[in-house]
């Protein structure tokens, strides 16, 4: 990581030069997905060979034969690690590093992505291209995870096993949960965070476009590695990867650790770039008190990622070392501890929960002022809420371990911190309530999704209060109640916000509108089937159904069947979305170049899709983005400020000379 | 904010203004990035610190160190720690020289710092391959075998960074460090180089502290 | 609720007092909901009334529901009212009133939510400490114990002495050992009514979680860790024991049933098993009772189970003696 701390090269005073190097070569000779694949295969072969080479060595070093770990892991793990490096090398990620090591200047490829569609399949440095890559990448993740979810529900149609056998069932559960967790962490930060980070703060650039593009290109590798777990028998631990079950599991477990680890690195890199960009690249006049709420949410989430995800990466690394180099981090009899995994995992795992929640808050807070035609109520409270949530989220992780026997005397403290976090979360509702007061509400599709987000997240949040109470948690812990709780916050909160974001921002990102009628169909079917799927799960958990089981009491079958059928209908609803997305962007292509929502947001002040440089000149921000209905409110920004205004906003030694 | 009232300095045009603006952003970004990287790395190393103290205090199965425990070589550990420390010290001293306008002095110091860093990495790999204990023999052994590869990778990344700085410094005329270069373009190049050097120095000093800390944990107590 | 004090400054002459309307609707709904929850729903709420813990948890869940229902209803009423009344009429392109904040409303909201949250935390702490951990796992050295009970080497019916039961999780079934009955091991669980029971939960392999649903007991079974939980059964009947932590392939099938019986029935059940196990040599084959077991003892346990005829949901997991001991290199 450290080596890439090399802020993007500033232009000389002669203005940006759009040299697009290598354009003269034919398309197949330039790095893109196909050369990446070749690199991946070569890398995998090298890694596999190396793994076989050192396997006998470590088998000799291994000092304990429980049959828990097996030497086949080395070739697999090194194969994937080198395969990923080969994939990145094939994409041309390391080319600029090579140039730097030779002391050569870097080409400015950021704003001149050549080619039409081809640029989406390359290591392209333009944040707008990266945002769209993320949008389609994360949608693929989401739909794949959704198919696994329907497989789970198919198995649960009957109280004993019938379609999938026991190990297939666990494999599907593991794939579904891990894929969704990986995807949800970047589903808003990826597409909208990357696309709108500079646009919303009035910048023409990102701080580290290479790191940003690298963050995206790790996600396809993680996707393939995770799915390859199916060929290796899957992994039996779900997304939590509890030890020592993970040490006992077969080679599929390695795919979990590697895929999740790669995604973790991707999250760290993406967050790192965003923080530096937000702090340093804001346009003149874009004070902290004028930052859009979406930027606040991305900013706090990025901090959570940069600080908490390294702990996950370290934990997964320890797991891999246990499985390959035969260390004993998590083996109780050898001086390790399975509690160590639980602590390390949840120390990441709880900030992760807010990594999933905060972007949703940001999206809806951005959308409601536009469709209520009112300023955001209590702007400072909203920002304080986000900061408060992200700080507190580091101090609640033990509530996942209330019954585990770890530090039982600390439970009152963690009960308190867990309940405290509902105060800053509640601010989001205060802000919404104030904004809706005497508003002029327009029921557009994004607004409908935003309202539904508030509805769903409320249920999720209130059920979280039940879980924070230790005595009540004794019944609810690890049951379907928990599962319903976090599906309400993540799917009901984040995914509804993501949908709101797509309908709201797609005209900006691609210059085409989503079909309104299909959108409304999508909304109503999704809202109804989502609640019909997940509301009964609260009851199932309360009635004693643990998570991740394929067998349950016969008297719970009716409810389970209801849930399964609803989940199929939810799948149909998402199919409507998929049809709408594909048809709207590829076939119908209804042009939308202006500002269809009459939004004051800075990103809407430029044409749609945004010009390559985002802004013609560095804009000067003049006022708050939410001043709807304010008489004589100044425009949000001066897009063409007179020469000298920007210069006066900074003191550069070079210019004053 | 003197938003709409500023009078443009003579000879300023929009492109120059923008270039200066993003130059300033990049300089600040370099500072922010190196500090943020320290934050992220602290959590990464902190996980191992936690594992160390957690397993040590738990001593599960009586095997924090276990029976028949052999300590890793104190001499090797101390030498490696000192090499990182000296490397950081030399780089720090060399940075003071380049601030005073002596490019050559920094280059020599930088090369020595780089070589010391690479020597540490090689020695660490040698030590890991010739340990007096099996990785699974105790909790201590696990944390030891787990931590040092991570540290090696981070140090290696820092050394690559140092190498890029050395490579770039060859193309910057020494006079540019002594007096203001004639064009903005050249001035920007020098300033950005200095920002990168100072970011690297911060990270490398930080890693030296980490090296001392873990040396103390693994070899002393 | 805080939103009932929302700003009314901008209300014109013809406009009704929205705040009063919303508050009235909310008040009626909240009172009705709370009465229904407390008096109608409470007796049916999980996990039932089979033990002291179960009753405590039922009460806790009820209290939470009584507190949360007004919150939910408050938000729903407010937003429902807003969505119905404050829509944009067709052809209206004006913006809404520019209300950027209201100090009083914000302060009131923060005060009210903080009070709710702090009182919930105080209530939860009390409900955790006073009933001795409320049925949750309390680690090897429980700090909150039931008062006035004694643990003795032998247990006799009719006394107030604690019955000690060790629940051992293993892939993929539960076994139970009774140190007060010569350390005998059973595959089923019977408990005497009105007797304080002390569960010691541990595991032989991976992490399981002992969940006796109707008894309101849940404690993780960690290898090498003794996790203690207390309960006092108060009703006769059957309860289900499930594994509540993903523990491998047959996790879903890792459940069995237990019974709460009278003290004398329990005494005769336990002594008959003890006699039988002594006679067929199982007791001698078992490793001595301990709070945790090392994997080196697994082979010994395996032999004892073969005698007992114990089969996990996935078949025999530990077929015989392990080939290695810690410290031995792997034979390639």
């Amino acid at each position: 990581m450290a080596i890439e701390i090399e802020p993007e090269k500033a232009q000389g005073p002669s203005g940006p030069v759009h040299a697009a190097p290598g354009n003269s070569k034919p398309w197949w000779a330039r790095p893109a997905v196909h050369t990446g694949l070749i690199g991946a295969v070569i890398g995998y072969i090298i890694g596999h060979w190396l793994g076989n080479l050192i396997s006998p060595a470590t088998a000799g070093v291994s000092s304990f034969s429980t049959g828990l770990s097996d030497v086949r892991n080395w070739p697999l793990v090194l194969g994937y690690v080198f395969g990923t490096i080969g994939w990145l090398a094939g994409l041309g990620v390391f080319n600029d590093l090579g140039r730097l090591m030779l002391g050569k200047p870097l080409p400015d490829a950021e704003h001149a992505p050549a080619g039409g569609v081809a640029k989406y399949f390359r290591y392209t440095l333009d944040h707008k291209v990266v945002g769209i890559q993320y949008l389609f990448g994360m949608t693929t993740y989401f739909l794949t995870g959704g198919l696994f979810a329907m497989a789970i529900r198919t198995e649960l149609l009957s109280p004993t096993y019938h379609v999938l056998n026991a190990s297939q069932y666990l494999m599907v559960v593991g794939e579904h949960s891990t894929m969704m967790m990986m995807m949800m962490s970047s589903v808003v930060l990826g597409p909208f965070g990357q696309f709108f980070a500079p646009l919303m703060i009035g910048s023409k650039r990102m701080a580290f476009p290479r790191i940003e593009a690298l963050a995206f290109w790790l996600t396809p590798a993680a996707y393939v590695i995770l799915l390859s777990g199916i060929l290796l028998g899957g992994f039996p631990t779900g997304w939590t990867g509890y030890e020592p079950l993970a040490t006992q599991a077969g080679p599929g477990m390695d795919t979990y650790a590697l895929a999740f680890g790669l995604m973790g690195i991707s999250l760290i890199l993406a967050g790192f770039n965003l923080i530096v960009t937000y702090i340093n690249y804001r346009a003149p006049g874009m004070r902290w008190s004028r930052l859009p709420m979406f930027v606040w949410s991305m900013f706090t989430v990025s901090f959570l990622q940069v600080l908490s995800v390294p702990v996950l990466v370290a934990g997964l690394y320890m797991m891999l070392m246990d499985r390959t180099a035969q260390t004993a981090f998590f083996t109780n009899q050898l001086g390790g501890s399975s509690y160590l995994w639980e602590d390390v995992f949840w120390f990441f795992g709880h900030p992760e929960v807010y990594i999933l929640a905060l972007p949703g808050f940001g999206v809806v807070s951005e959308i409601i002022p536009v469709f209520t035609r009112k300023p955001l109520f209590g702007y400072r409270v909203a920002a304080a809420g986000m900061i408060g949530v992200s700080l507190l989220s580091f101090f609640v992780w033990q509530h996942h371990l209330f019954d585990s026997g770890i530090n039982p005397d600390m439970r009152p403290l963690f009960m308190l911190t867990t309940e405290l976090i509902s105060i800053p979360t509640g601010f989001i509702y205060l802000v919404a309530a104030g904004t809706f007061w005497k508003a002029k509400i327009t029921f557009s599709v994004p607004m409908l999704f935003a309202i539904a987000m508030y509805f769903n997240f409320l249920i999720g949040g209130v059920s979280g209060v039940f879980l924070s109470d230790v005595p009540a948690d004794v019944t609810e812990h690890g049951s379907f109640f928990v599962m319903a709780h976090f599906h309400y916050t993540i799917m009901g909160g984040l995914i509804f916000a993501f949908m709101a974001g797509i309908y709201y921002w797609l005209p900006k990102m691609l210059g085409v509108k989503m079909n309104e009628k299909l959108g409304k169909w999508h909304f109503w079917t999704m809202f109804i089937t989502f609640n019909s799927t997940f509301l009964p799960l609260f009851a199932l958990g309360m009635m004693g159904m643990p998570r991740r089981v394929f067998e349950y009491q016969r008297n719970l079958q009716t409810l389970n069947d209801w849930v399964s059928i609803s989940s199929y209908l939810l799948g149909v609803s998402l199919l409507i979305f998929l049809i709408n997305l594909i048809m709207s962007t590829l076939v119908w292509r209804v042009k939308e170049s202006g500002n269809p929502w009459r939004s004051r947001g800075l990103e809407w002040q430029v044409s749609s899709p945004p010009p390559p440089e985002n802004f013609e000149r560095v804009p000067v921000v003049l006022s708050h983005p939410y001043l709807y209905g304010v008489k004589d409110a100044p425009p949000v920004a001066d897009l063409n400020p007179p020469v000298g205004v920007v210069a006066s906003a900074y003191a550069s030694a070079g210019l004053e000379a | 904010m003197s938003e709409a009232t500023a009078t443009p300095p003579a000879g300023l045009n929009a492109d120059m203004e923008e270039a200066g603006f993003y130059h300033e952003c990049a300089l600040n970004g370099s500072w922010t990035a190196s500090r943020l990287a320290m934050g992220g790395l602290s959590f990464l190393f902190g996980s191992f610190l936690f594992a160390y103290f957690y397993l040590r205090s738990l001593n599960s199965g009586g095997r924090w160190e276990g029976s028949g425990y052999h300590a890793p070589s104190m001499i090797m550990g101390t030498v490696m720690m000192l090499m990182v420390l000296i490397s950081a010290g030399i780089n720090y001293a060399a940075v003071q020289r380049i601030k005073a306008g002596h490019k050559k002095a920094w280059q020599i110091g930088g090369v020595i710092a780089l070589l010391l860093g690479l020597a540490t990495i090689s020695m660490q790999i040698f030590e890991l391959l010739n340990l007096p204990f099996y990785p699974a023999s105790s909790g201590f052994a696990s944390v030891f075998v787990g931590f040092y590869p991570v540290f090696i990778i981070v140090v290696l990344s820092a050394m690559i960074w140092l190498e890029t700085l050395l490579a770039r410094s060859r193309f910057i005329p020494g006079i540019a460090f002594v007096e203001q270069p004639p064009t903005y373009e050249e001035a920007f190049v020098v300033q950005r180089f200095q920002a990168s050097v100072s970011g690297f120095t911060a990270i490398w000093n930080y890693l030296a502290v980490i090296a001392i800390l873990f040396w103390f944990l693994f070899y002393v107590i | 609720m805080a939103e009932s004090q929302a700003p009314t400054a901008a209300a014109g002459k013809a406009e009704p007092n929205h705040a009063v309307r919303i508050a009235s609707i909310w008040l009626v709904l909240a009172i009705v909901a709370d009465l229904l929850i407390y008096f109608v729903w409470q007796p049916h709420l999980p996990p039932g009334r089979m033990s002291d813990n179960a009753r405590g948890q039922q009460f806790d869940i009820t209290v939470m529901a009584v507190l949360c229902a007004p919150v939910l209803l408050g938000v729903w009423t407010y937003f429902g009212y807003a969505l119905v009344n404050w829509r944009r009429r067709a052809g209206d392109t004006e913006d809404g009133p520019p209300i950027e904040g209201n100090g009083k409303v914000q302060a009131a909201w923060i005060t009210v939510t903080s009070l709710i949250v702090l009182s919930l935390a105080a209530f939860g702490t009390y409900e955790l400490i006073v009933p001795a951990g409320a049925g949750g796992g309390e680690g090897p050295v429980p700090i909150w114990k039931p008062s006035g009970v004694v643990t003795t080497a032998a247990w006799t019916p009719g006394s107030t002495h604690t019955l000690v039961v060790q629940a051992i999780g293993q892939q993929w079934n539960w076994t139970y050992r009774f140190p007060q009955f010569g350390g005998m091991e059973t595959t089923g669980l019977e408990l005497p009514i009105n007797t304080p029971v002390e569960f010691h939960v541990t595991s032989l392999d991976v992490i399981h979680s002992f969940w006796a649903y109707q008894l309101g007991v849940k404690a993780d079974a960690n290898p090498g860790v003794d996790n203690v939980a207390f309960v006092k059964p108060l009703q006769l009947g059957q309860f289900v024991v499930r594994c509540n932590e993903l523990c491998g392939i047959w996790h879903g099938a890792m459940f069995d049933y237990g019974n709460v019986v009278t003290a004398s029935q329990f005494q005769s059940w336990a002594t008959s098993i003890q006699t039988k196990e002594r006679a067929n040599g199982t007791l001698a084959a078992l490793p001595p009772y301990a709070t945790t077991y090392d994997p080196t003892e697994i082979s010994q346990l395996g032999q004892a189970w073969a005698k007992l005829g114990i089969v996990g949901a996935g078949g025999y997991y530990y077929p015989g003696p392990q080939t290695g001991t810690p410290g031995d290199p792997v034979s390639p």
Side-chain angles (χ1 to χ4, degrees):
Chain A
M1 187 165 80
I3 50 165
E4 274 144 323
I5 295 176
E6 174 54 30
E8 179 267 332
K9 190 173 161 58
Q11 297 300 334
S14 55
V17 187
H18 290 160
N23 265 0
S24 48
K25 288 187 202 160
W27 67 268
W28 47 265
R30 296 170 56 204
V33 170
H34 64 284
T35 52
L37 286 175
I38 296 170
V41 171
I42 296 172
Y44 183 87
I45 292 169
I46 294 173
H48 195 88
W49 168 79
L50 202 64
N52 276 326
L53 199 69
I54 60 175
S55 285
T58 40
V61 173
S62 166
S63 62
F64 186 52
S65 81
T66 50
L68 290 183
S69 205
D70 96 55
V71 288
R72 280 190 300 155
N73 293 316
W74 267 123
L76 187 73
V77 171
L78 287 186
Y80 278 141
V81 169
F82 280 77
T84 308
I85 295 172
W87 159 250
L88 297 177
L91 280 166
V93 174
F94 303 123
N95 293 357
D96 282 345
L97 182 62
R99 286 194 187 97
L100 278 178
M101 290 185 72
L102 295 173
K104 289 184 187 165
L106 295 180
D108 175 46
E110 189 190 349
H111 287 303
V117 185
K119 65 175 181 257
Y120 295 109
F121 297 92
R122 291 211 180 94
Y123 178 66
T124 307
L125 301 185
D126 185 1
H127 69 94
K128 296 183 283 300
V129 175
V130 175
I132 287 162
Q133 286 169 334
Y134 257 118
L135 180 65
F136 285 91
M138 291 303 118
T139 308
T140 311
Y141 259 90
F142 178 59
L143 296 174
T144 318
L147 288 178
F148 284 119
M150 292 210 266
I152 295 174
R153 286 319 311 180
T154 306
E155 173 54 40
L156 291 179
L157 278 169
S158 149
T160 56
Y161 70 90
H162 60 123
V163 179
L164 304 168
N165 68 32
S167 74
Q168 285 166 339
Y169 178 76
L170 274 196
M171 178 181 88
V172 169
V173 168
E175 292 282 338
H176 163 74
S177 52
T178 312
M179 182 153 286
M180 286 298 197
M181 273 298 167
M182 285 160 57
M183 176 279 288
M184 296 288 181
S185 330
S186 352
V187 75
V188 169
L189 185 115
F192 308 135
Q194 307 296 341
F195 196 100
F196 292 109
L199 279 166
M200 281 185 164
I201 60 169
S203 170
K204 291 182 167 193
R205 4 174 138 237
M206 280 283 200
F208 302 110
R210 287 169 187 82
I211 287 185
E212 180 196 28
L214 171 61
F216 169 75
W217 283 106
L218 285 171
T219 62
Y223 179 82
V224 171
I225 292 176
L226 186 68
L227 278 185
S228 75
I230 295 174
L231 304 174
L232 298 164
F235 48 93
T237 61
W239 84 283
T240 50
Y242 267 21
E243 294 281 357
L245 182 60
T247 307
Q248 188 194 66
M253 202 68 222
D254 296 326
T255 63
Y256 158 85
L258 284 163
F260 213 172
L262 282 180
M263 198 66 178
I265 294 170
S266 158
L267 292 177
I268 296 170
L269 297 177
F272 185 85
N273 173 41
L274 284 186
I275 292 176
V276 179
T277 306
Y278 288 143
I279 292 182
N280 297 298
Y281 283 73
R282 281 169 296 129
M286 178 54 90
R287 305 172 193 155
W288 290 103
S289 58
R290 286 176 181 167
L291 223 49
M293 277 329 292
F294 180 70
V295 173
W296 271 113
S297 76
M298 287 295 110
F299 188 60
T300 48
V301 163
S302 299
F303 265 105
L304 290 184
Q305 290 187 339
V306 170
L307 299 183
S308 78
V309 180
V311 180
L312 169 78
V313 174
L316 292 167
Y317 163 81
M318 291 177 197
M319 177 192 279
L320 280 177
M321 287 298 274
D322 268 15
R323 295 175 54 82
T324 53
Q326 311 288 313
T327 55
F329 280 103
F330 306 121
T331 309
N332 295 45
Q333 301 84 26
L334 298 176
S337 170
S338 48
Y339 278 169
L340 176 62
W341 171 262
E342 292 187 320
D343 267 328
V344 167
F345 183 80
W346 287 117
F347 185 81
F348 148 77
H350 208 83
E352 163 76 1
V353 173
Y354 290 97
I355 290 173
L356 308 181
L358 285 172
F361 297 165
V363 172
V364 292
S365 305
E366 198 64 34
I367 286 175
I368 54 169
V370 178
F371 295 104
T372 53
R373 307 309 300 169
K374 283 188 63 201
L376 192 70
F377 181 87
Y379 174 87
R380 277 161 200 275
V381 173
M386 288 182 182
I387 295 169
V389 165
S390 51
L391 284 178
L392 272 175
S393 71
F394 280 104
F395 300 98
V396 297
W397 82 96
Q398 289 259 343
H399 70 213
H400 296 268
L401 306 168
F402 274 160
D403 300 324
S404 68
I406 303 178
N407 305 337
D409 43 339
M410 298 286 271
R411 287 181 294 175
L413 175 67
F414 281 99
M415 175 157 42
L416 176 67
T417 55
T418 306
E419 283 167 356
L420 281 181
I421 211 167
S422 58
I423 299 176
T425 313
F427 289 178
I428 305 303
Y429 280 86
L430 168 65
V431 169
T435 310
F436 275 68
W437 178 259
K438 294 187 178 166
K440 302 204 169 177
I441 301 165
T442 310
F443 291 98
S444 62
V445 181
M447 185 61 168
L448 287 172
F449 273 107
I451 295 169
M453 185 275 177
Y454 285 108
F455 179 87
N456 296 334
F457 196 88
L458 183 68
I459 298 177
V462 165
S463 59
V465 175
F466 280 73
L467 288 164
S468 70
D469 182 81
V470 181
D473 184 61
V474 170
T475 286
E476 292 146 358
H477 185 91
S479 73
F480 262 50
F481 188 91
V482 175
M483 216 195 67
H485 158 70
F486 69 72
H487 277 85
Y488 259 93
T489 53
I490 300 176
M491 172 115 186
L494 183 69
I495 288 296
F496 273 72
F498 169 66
M499 293 298 175
I502 287 191
Y503 283 94
Y504 179 67
W505 276 315
L506 205 73
K508 171 54 60 188
M509 295 171 82
L510 294 172
V512 293
K513 251 178 149 156
M514 293 280 272
N515 183 301
E516 177 103 7
K517 194 163 189 178
L518 269 182
K520 290 215 162 144
W521 269 97
H522 168 214
F523 168 74
W524 284 109
T525 51
M526 185 165 162
F527 180 65
I528 293 165
T529 55
F530 166 78
N531 280 289
S532 161
T533 305
F534 291 102
L535 207 54
L537 296 184
F538 286 115
L540 280 172
M542 283 288 205
M543 289 197 272
M545 183 164 167
R547 288 164 71 181
R548 302 149 160 175
V549 295
F550 55 86
E551 293 203 350
Y552 53 84
Q553 290 133 279
R554 290 198 178 279
N555 61 342
L556 301 181
Q557 186 173 8
T558 316
L559 264 184
N560 266 303
D561 287 358
W562 172 279
V563 170
S564 292
I565 292 165
S566 299
S567 78
Y568 300 144
L569 295 175
L570 181 56
V572 172
S573 171
L574 287 168
L575 202 62
I576 300 177
F577 162 71
L578 188 65
I579 292 170
N580 194 354
L581 182 68
I582 291 176
M583 295 300 279
S584 295
T585 55
L586 299 178
V587 182
W588 297 328
R589 296 190 66 81
V590 181
K591 287 271 179 286
E592 179 59 74
S593 53
N595 185 351
W597 318 114
R598 298 193 294 131
S599 166
R600 273 180 60 90
L602 184 53
E603 78 275 24
W604 290 101
Q605 309 308 317
V606 295
S607 63
S608 306
E613 286 262 355
N614 295 351
F615 300 95
E616 213 164 290
R617 298 269 311 279
V618 180
V620 171
V621 178
L622 301 176
S623 67
H624 210 275
Y626 304 121
L627 297 181
Y628 297 101
V630 179
K631 294 275 174 291
D632 312 319
V636 70
D638 184 353
L639 294 185
N640 204 359
V643 172
V645 176
V646 172
S648 67
Y650 64 90
S652 168
L655 280 172
E656 275 150 17
Chain B
M1 238 41 329
S2 55
E3 272 159 12
T5 53
T7 45
L12 183 71
N13 67 38
D15 286 335
M16 279 164 70
E17 180 181 63
E18 184 186 317
F21 179 75
Y22 285 113
H23 173 64
E24 193 73 15
C25 292
L27 291 186
N28 293 335
S30 180
W31 191 92
T32 314
S34 56
R35 270 62 186 180
L36 189 60
M38 280 188 217
L41 286 173
S42 296
F43 274 78
L44 178 70
F45 295 135
S47 313
F48 290 94
L49 207 62
F50 177 76
Y52 180 92
F53 284 111
Y54 196 75
L55 295 183
R56 186 184 175 107
S57 62
L58 215 57
N59 194 14
S60 61
R63 290 184 78 112
W64 162 245
E65 284 177 343
S67 54
Y69 162 76
H70 299 282
S73 161
M74 176 77 176
I75 298 172
M76 267 183 101
T78 311
V79 169
M80 284 185 292
M81 184 273 292
L82 284 177
M83 286 203 300
V84 175
L85 201 60
I86 293 168
S87 171
I90 290 178
N91 175 61
Y92 184 78
V95 169
Q96 308 312 314
R97 297 303 297 154
I98 203 171
K99 278 183 187 161
H102 304 281
K103 179 185 140 186
K104 204 86 201 160
W106 177 79
Q107 280 179 322
I108 294 168
V111 169
I112 297 172
L114 176 65
L115 290 177
L116 278 173
L118 293 176
T120 313
I121 292 170
S122 323
M123 198 160 163
Q124 190 69 66
I125 292 173
F126 175 81
E127 190 197 27
L128 281 175
L129 293 177
N130 295 283
L131 283 177
F133 45 74
Y134 294 137
S137 59
S138 65
F140 174 87
S142 301
V143 183
F144 189 94
V145 173
F147 169 74
Y148 275 108
V150 174
F151 190 64
I152 289 175
I153 292 171
V154 176
V155 170
L156 182 65
S157 310
M159 288 303 102
I160 293 176
W161 189 3
L162 178 56
E163 197 280 336
T164 63
L165 292 174
L166 286 167
R168 199 193 307 169
S169 71
R170 283 167 52 219
F171 298 95
I172 301 176
I175 189 73
F177 293 99
V178 184
E179 59 188 52
Q180 182 78 39
T183 66
Y184 292 134
E185 209 163 345
E186 286 168 83
F188 286 175
V189 168
V190 176
Q191 286 183 9
R192 291 174 44 70
F193 172 76
Q194 283 168 331
S196 191
V197 167
S198 102
F200 166 77
T201 307
I203 293 266
W204 191 220
N205 292 346
Y206 163 82
L207 287 176
V209 173
I210 295 291
I212 298 172
L213 175 66
F214 279 90
W215 167 79
F216 186 73
L217 293 183
F218 284 129
Y219 295 97
V220 180
I221 59 172
Chain C
M1 287 309 299
E3 63 261 34
S4 59
Q5 304 164 18
T8 49
K13 234 183 187 178
E15 262 199 90
N17 191 335
H18 297 298
V20 171
R21 282 187 172 194
I22 294 170
S24 334
I25 300 172
W26 167 73
L27 197 65
V28 173
L29 287 176
I31 290 172
V32 171
D34 274 354
L35 289 176
L36 283 176
I37 290 169
Y38 196 82
F39 292 104
V40 182
W41 206 13
Q42 183 177 15
H44 306 288
L45 274 172
R49 307 189 57 77
M50 199 171 191
S51 73
D52 56 345
N53 292 331
R55 288 175 188 192
Q57 288 162 23
Q58 188 184 53
F59 178 67
D60 265 50
I61 292 173
T62 309
V63 170
M64 307 291 249
V66 165
L67 265 170
C68 290
V71 175
L72 276 177
L73 287 169
V75 177
W76 285 342
T77 311
Y78 178 82
F79 280 97
Y81 189 91
L83 297 184
V84 169
N85 286 289
W86 295 320
R87 310 195 231 195
R88 188 172 63 83
R89 310 291 162 200
D92 182 2
T93 53
E94 290 281 298
D95 285 347
I99 308 164
E100 291 186 57
N102 182 316
K104 276 186 194 163
V105 175
Q106 283 160 222
W109 176 285
I110 293 169
T111 314
V112 170
T113 51
S114 304
L115 281 178
I116 294 177
V117 160
L118 291 176
S119 52
L120 269 178
F123 169 75
T125 307
Y126 177 83
E127 284 288 297
L128 169 68
I129 292 174
V130 172
E138 290 202 84
V141 192
I143 41 170
W144 302 305
K145 298 180 201 172
S147 54
V149 298
V150 264
T151 311
T152 47
W155 182 84
T156 44
S159 64
T160 54
H161 295 165
T162 309
L163 175 72
V164 179
V165 180
Q166 182 175 47
I168 307 175
Q170 54 228 279
Q171 289 170 320
W172 286 273
N173 61 352
W174 293 101
T175 59
Y176 307 95
R177 292 193 75 176
F178 296 80
Q180 289 153 331
F181 291 86
M184 68 167 188
E185 183 162 29
T186 67
T187 52
L189 182 57
E190 308 248 312
L191 295 176
I193 192 169
N194 291 328
T195 305
V197 177
E198 184 178 316
F199 280 113
H200 288 257
V201 183
T202 188
S203 162
L204 296 181
D205 35 51
V206 302
I207 299 177
H208 304 268
S209 184
F210 177 76
W211 185 16
Y213 170 67
Q214 284 87 347
L215 296 181
V217 173
K218 191 176 279 167
D220 280 9
N222 297 281
V225 177
D226 179 29
N227 199 3
V228 178
F230 300 98
V231 70
K232 187 173 184 182
L234 299 175
Q235 283 177 357
L236 296 175
Q238 195 183 47
F239 59 89
V240 61
V241 174
R242 290 215 68 145
C243 177
N244 192 53
E245 187 56 69
L246 185 52
C247 57
I249 295 171
W250 294 97
H251 164 62
M254 187 170 161
F255 61 92
D256 56 38
Y257 296 93
N259 288 299
V260 176
V261 296
T262 62
S264 54
Q265 278 172 332
F266 173 78
Q267 175 76 3
S268 56
W269 172 80
T271 40
S272 75
I273 293 184
Q274 194 186 357
T275 316
K276 194 181 117 198
E277 291 195 354
R278 187 175 291 133
N280 68 13
T282 309
L283 277 189
L286 282 168
Y289 174 83
T291 49
T292 62
Y293 299 94
D294 194 84
T296 48
E297 290 166 325
I298 286 174
S299 57
Q300 217 177 336
L301 283 171
Q303 287 162 10
W305 292 343
K307 281 200 164 73
L308 279 168
I310 296 175
V311 183
Y316 286 104
Y317 183 67
Y318 302 107
Q322 294 289 103
T323 47
T325 50
D328 285 353
V330 169
S331 47

